[in-house]
Amino acid sequence: MKLFLDTADVAVIRELAETGLVDGVTTNPSLIAKSGRNIAEVIAEICACVEGPVSAEVTATDLEGMISEGRHLAGIAGNVLVKLPLTWDGLKAARRFSQDGIGTNVTLCFSAAQALLAAKAGASFISPFVGRLDDHGADGLSLIEEIRDLYDQHGFETEVLAASLRTPAHVTGAALAGADAATLPPDIFRSLVKHPLTDRGLDQFLSDWRATGQTIL
Ligand code: E4P
């Protein structure tokens, strides 16, 4: 499963990309606003940090506006994915971009029916929002499972990108539910490596090793 970072903080992306485990980045208008920076500059810098797809979201809500903004964003770098909201105009734009060979990420997906439409529109990725569904009293991870089944049964090639993940259990749950990718806030990405027994075990090994007086080199 691919792991993306869900942030527009270039310094953090640069740092975490050094692990070699970051396959892409997602942004949204709220994350760009939080960065306090110009969207074109931020997206260009992010695209230089990672080889994989970098989602840049349109803010127009009408078809022609989405097409113009999307083309502009896609022109920033070869690895930009145009992120489009799950509305009729967003779906029409996804279809147009797909016909033009431009990758898309259809976002704000909260139902399997919406995911079906996005796949039919030729979206490269669909982003179901797990955490926001949980907040709403539903089971976000069940939606990932449902979309996986639906896409597999009908041979859709749209990739399932689990989004709005809030915990490490969301990440592993999305993986087990068959997501192709998951986008993680940096703190969740960092927390994936942690386990208290790993720390305790390493302390013990090193203390026993020091007692031998040996060195390997
Ligand atoms: C996905 O592409 C979104 O940017 C993101 O995952 C939304 O997460 P949130 O619900 O924590 O804002």
Side-chain angles (χ1 to χ4, degrees), residues 6 26-28 31 83 107 127 129 132 163-164 166 183:
D6 196 27
T26 54
T27 66
N28 62 40
L31 292 171
K83 202 170 176 190
T107 190
S127 287
F129 275 35
R132 292 194 196 188
S164 185
R166 308 265 163 80
T183 187

Side-chain angles (χ1 to χ4, degrees), residues 3-28 31-32 35 37 39 41-55 79 183-187 189-190:
L3 294 180
F4 296 168
L5 290 176
D6 196 27
T7 179
D9 186 327
V10 179
V12 167
I13 294 166
R14 207 169 274 139
E15 173 209 325
L16 295 177
E18 281 176 16
T19 62
L21 303 177
V22 175
D23 301 302
V25 173
T26 54
T27 66
N28 62 40
L31 292 171
I32 297 289
S35 78
R37 301 193 51 206
I39 183 169
E41 287 173 16
V42 178
I43 296 297
E45 286 179 30
I46 296 173
C47 287
C49 297
V50 293
E51 283 179 19
V54 174
S55 294
N79 53 338
T183 187
L184 285 61
D187 58 329
F189 183 88
R190 285 195 177 95

